[in-house]
Amino acid sequence: MSYTIGIDLGTTNSLCAVFQDGRPRLIPNSHGDFLTPSVVGVLESGEIVVGAAARELRVTHPERTAWCFKRFMGSDRPISLGAKTYTAQELSSLVLQSLVEDAKSELKASITDAVITVPAYFNDHQRQATKLAGQLAGLNVRRIVNEPTAAALVYGFHEREAEKNLCIIDLGGGTFDVTVMEIFEGTLEIRATAGESQLGGEDFTDRLVSAVLINQKMQLELAELKHPLHVARLRVESERAKRTLTAKDTARIRLPELDGQFSGQPREFKINRETFKKVCSKLMDRISVPIDRALRDAKLDPREIDEVLLVGGATRMPVMVDFVSSYFGKQPQMEFNPDEVVALGAAVQAALIEQDAAVNDVVMTDVCPFTLGVEIAKDLGGQIQDGFFQPILHRNSTIPISREEVFSTIVPNQRMVEVRVFQGDARRVTDNVELGRLRVENLPTGPAGMPIRIRFTYDLNGILEVEAYTDGGCKQRTVLTNHVQGLSQEQIQAALQRLQKLKLYPREDLNNQRLARYSERLIGELHPSQRQQLDLALDFFEGAMNEGDPQQFESAKQALLMTLSALGFPYDEHSADEQ
Ligand code: AMP
């Protein structure tokens, strides 16, 4: 038996789900959590850890960890991890591998196929990169689905009889998307999508870190701080405070010294919700822009939205809930867990692909969130000027879609044309994003004005194919479908081989590794008088991990757990949140 799993590959956390016995359900990782931090670490031994253990390592050894790499998906920016560098797609493939291991262990089946979600506003490069990450993890990626669309599928799956206009507000760790959709008689029709791919919950944490630094009269911005441990600890403290402010009115941030250590009685920065709101006001100003645009495109007024669905951990923040409530004049829907709904939706999508009988009355239509087109030259008063953008597919067209436009040669006997493909809405191509180029050669000779037909096909995965041909029949098909940033099949093979050499830390021992890294982190945070006690217990535990005598190991583990409890930092194996 084999399953197609649904994966929410998030900036901060990733989740995996499966459709079984007529419903979607989440798959726990080796710690029993549904959320696996999207953090990759390399241990001193050279083995790779993914998830909570890597997140612990990030505080004490930031140089040996990589996180938030989804932000660089689709670029070839090198991200360091220990002595080597990797691309975002390679690091993401390690996260995917770890999720697949969890799924195999839970379902006792082989896992070859997956549906992976992406922010709706991910461009073609970013989607291709996500697909490549799946491929590098050994997965056959059956579909790339927009995160808000996945969330809508869960809603539609549970509320088939509803007839409503829905707005899905998705603020994850690194991206923000807004989707407006209509649901009627089991049909889910996406009407419009808009968003920003560089705005997320992590920016709110960054604002808080900056505010603390400014308040401390250090007048330093994050990047200017030299000591990575200082930044790492301050960030963990700020992240924790941000989450505390979701539940309580005030929070405290312990201030590490400039070398990153906490002194016996660390200084504290107190913050309340009101101040946090001020600190984040510039980010909140950016939130309404895509909402306005999505509603405009869907030709709906905020009051015509019957239900608002919140997706992504960062929508839990009271500043977001308050904003959404006042914008739409109603409280958002609270039935679905914003962290989990996307992965569950990916599993529903997998069931749709597999034609599972439980979803045979659900129909879903999605849209292309961007305007896509080509560069053209214009004749402006007898002067030919290039650099203008000509749309071929308009944003929020229902997909799959295929449209052809006819262009013409500009000079007599023009034998070649280079089609430059862009995404965006600006009049000039320099203000849009270039997606790729296609050369059409050997055009038939003739006067200026010979027709060149350009066809754009945007498929259900949100992936674009461009074809160009002349009436003479010479046809060129682009490359935007098969390559990420110009990566050839050979380069993909090379990346695969490089990744295969990496040794993933054994899944069954990950919990112990996480416990060791948690203890190591605490050693640096404890009062000097308490340090030695924990240091000793950790030495004993790590020694026992290496020796492999089960009895000795168990007693060392118990001793370490008791020491942690006695020091007031009990270890919770099943807590996905930052401890
Ligand atoms: P996601 O990528 O959907 O996992 O979103 C994670 C983002 O949500 C991160 O920036 C988290 O800091 C943020 N987040 C998660 N839980 C909370 C919470 N209770 N309060 C505030 N932000 C949260």
Side-chain angles (χ1 to χ4, degrees):
M1 174 101 192
S2 158
Y3 292 90
T4 301
I5 52 172
I7 295 177
D8 169 6
L9 185 61
T11 309
T12 36
N13 292 299
S14 295
L15 297 90
C16 174
V18 64
F19 197 90
Q20 227 181 1
D21 304 326
R23 61 178 192 93
R25 75 172 175 94
L26 295 168
I27 291 174
N29 61 21
S30 58
H31 311 298
D33 301 326
F34 294 136
L35 269 69
T36 295
S38 307
V39 185
V40 178
V42 54
L43 299 175
E44 241 165 310
S45 62
E47 286 162 300
I48 299 286
V49 280
V50 174
R55 192 178 58 194
E56 295 294 354
L57 191 71
R58 160 180 152 182
V59 182
T60 49
H61 294 93
E63 74 294 351
R64 279 205 265 121
T65 35
W67 66 94
C68 273
F69 35 80
K70 181 172 166 182
R71 291 194 154 181
F72 306 115
M73 208 66 152
S75 78
D76 44 18
R77 178 189 170 118
I79 302 164
S80 6
L81 180 67
K84 297 195 178 138
T85 62
Y86 298 89
T87 59
Q89 29 283 358
E90 289 173 334
L91 293 168
S92 302
S93 82
L94 295 169
V95 175
L96 290 171
Q97 271 186 50
S98 144
L99 297 175
V100 167
E101 287 306 313
D102 293 333
K104 278 185 189 161
S105 153
E106 171 79 7
L107 301 168
K108 312 270 178 293
S110 68
I111 306 290
T112 51
D113 291 19
V115 168
I116 305 179
T117 60
V118 292
Y121 228 63
F122 251 24
N123 66 30
D124 202 75
H125 291 157
Q126 294 164 308
R127 285 166 195 267
Q128 298 281 5
T130 306
K131 222 174 156 190
L132 175 65
Q135 223 178 321
L136 294 175
L139 285 169
N140 172 23
V141 181
R142 300 282 296 274
R143 184 71 56 85
I144 297 286
V145 194
N146 294 334
E147 287 163 11
T149 305
L153 268 173
V154 177
Y155 187 90
F157 178 73
H158 288 285
E159 307 254 349
R160 292 175 204 206
E161 305 308 318
E163 284 201 17
K164 281 179 182 166
N165 290 324
L166 283 183
C167 184
I168 298 146
I169 306 278
D170 180 356
L171 187 66
T175 50
F176 178 53
D177 282 327
V178 182
T179 295
V180 177
M181 62 175 299
E182 198 182 339
I183 166 166
F184 56 94
E185 295 167 1
T187 300
L188 303 145
E189 194 179 300
I190 306 282
R191 298 271 298 269
T193 280
E196 244 207 72
S197 60
Q198 301 294 333
L199 173 64
E202 298 304 293
D203 296 294
F204 286 76
T205 308
D206 287 345
R207 295 302 315 154
L208 195 46
V209 172
S210 297
V212 175
L213 291 176
I214 289 166
N215 179 277
Q216 294 305 296
K217 306 246 182 305
M218 288 189 241
Q219 303 292 351
L220 290 171
E221 281 297 320
L222 248 183
E224 293 177 52
L225 274 169
K226 292 284 178 286
H227 208 299
L229 194 60
H230 183 164
V231 181
R233 288 233 157 94
L234 194 55
R235 211 169 185 291
V236 170
E237 288 287 317
S238 302
E239 170 69 24
R240 190 182 292 139
K242 179 183 81 173
R243 288 169 187 250
T244 304
L245 288 174
T246 295
K248 296 182 187 164
D249 196 45
T250 56
R252 290 159 193 266
I253 296 174
R254 291 184 308 155
L255 300 171
E257 300 299 322
L258 271 178
D259 64 358
Q261 303 297 336
F262 285 105
S263 60
Q265 280 295 319
R267 285 171 302 133
E268 283 183 342
F269 176 81
K270 278 193 203 133
I271 182 152
N272 60 24
R273 280 188 183 168
E274 213 36 55
T275 318
F276 182 62
K277 195 171 168 181
K278 281 192 201 131
V279 164
C280 303
S281 65
K282 288 222 165 64
L283 296 174
M284 289 310 294
D285 289 345
R286 286 160 63 191
I287 293 283
S288 60
V289 179
I291 308 183
D292 292 342
R293 187 159 124 159
L295 286 172
R296 227 177 13 247
D297 283 0
K299 299 194 181 68
L300 288 173
D301 183 82
R303 306 277 149 178
E304 291 176 273
I305 296 292
D306 302 300
E307 199 100 73
V308 185
L309 225 72
L310 297 183
V311 179
T315 54
R316 288 209 166 94
M317 292 185 295
V319 277
M320 276 301 287
V321 178
D322 291 351
F323 175 83
V324 166
S325 309
S326 89
Y327 187 100
F328 290 96
K330 58 178 64 73
Q331 284 290 320
Q333 221 264 3
M334 293 289 185
E335 198 184 319
F336 301 110
N337 182 328
D339 292 321
E340 300 176 351
V341 67
V342 170
L344 292 170
V348 175
Q349 177 64 65
L352 283 170
I353 293 173
E354 299 292 348
Q355 299 184 333
D356 192 301
V359 289
N360 67 5
D361 52 347
V362 177
V363 179
M364 178 89 206
T365 68
D366 208 340
V367 296
C368 155
F370 323 99
T371 303
L372 298 164
V374 292
E375 178 188 15
I376 55 159
K378 285 187 181 177
D379 182 348
L380 299 180
Q383 260 196 349
I384 304 285
Q385 267 189 28
D386 56 15
F388 289 94
F389 178 64
Q390 172 67 43
I392 295 184
L393 296 182
H394 289 278
R395 69 170 195 254
N396 292 320
S397 311
T398 300
I399 59 169
I401 183 168
S402 189
R403 263 197 83 215
E404 187 175 289
E405 284 273 334
V406 186
F407 298 88
S408 45
T409 54
I410 42 177
V411 289
N413 296 325
Q414 186 175 336
R415 301 304 311 273
M416 192 277 284
V417 66
E418 187 170 57
V419 181
R420 293 178 70 194
V421 179
F422 288 86
Q423 163 193 311
D425 286 296
R427 180 167 173 256
R428 294 201 175 261
V429 291
T430 40
D431 299 324
N432 292 328
V433 178
E434 181 164 3
L435 296 179
R437 294 173 189 216
L438 171 67
R439 274 170 87 87
V440 193
E441 287 171 336
N442 301 325
L443 298 180
T445 50
M450 297 278 287
I452 302 164
R453 297 175 188 280
I454 299 179
R455 174 171 288 279
F456 274 24
T457 304
Y458 195 88
D459 71 8
L460 286 169
N461 294 312
I463 285 174
L464 176 69
E465 186 183 86
V466 179
E467 288 168 301
Y469 51 100
T470 60
D471 286 348
C474 104
K475 192 167 186 172
Q476 306 282 331
R477 188 181 281 241
T478 164
V479 273
L480 295 179
T481 41
N482 304 324
H483 294 69
V484 173
Q485 296 282 291
L487 225 59
S488 64
Q489 277 308 321
E490 293 77 55
Q491 285 170 311
I492 295 177
Q493 280 310 319
L496 260 174
Q497 279 174 8
R498 211 158 85 90
L499 289 169
Q500 271 160 7
K501 284 197 196 120
L502 295 179
K503 197 164 169 257
L504 277 185
Y505 194 81
R507 183 181 181 277
E508 58 279 10
D509 294 336
L510 257 181
N511 224 345
N512 298 324
Q513 190 56 239
R514 177 185 178 184
L515 170 60
R517 304 289 63 88
Y518 171 73
S519 308
E520 187 171 57
R521 165 161 73 84
L522 276 182
I523 287 177
E525 296 180 17
L526 287 175
H527 189 269
S529 62
Q530 297 173 313
R531 256 182 98 111
Q532 201 187 6
Q533 197 184 347
L534 183 56
D535 210 5
L536 275 174
L538 179 58
D539 285 351
F540 186 37
F541 178 66
E542 286 198 318
M545 272 169 87
N546 292 338
E547 267 169 37
D549 172 346
Q551 233 174 347
Q552 192 187 345
F553 173 76
E554 205 38 51
S555 65
K557 184 171 179 176
Q558 288 315 318
L560 179 58
L561 290 173
M562 275 163 60
T563 309
L564 286 166
S565 293
L567 292 171
F569 293 95
Y571 176 70
D572 179 1
E573 276 190 6
H574 299 296
S575 166
D577 278 344
E578 311 255 356
Q579 295 190 52

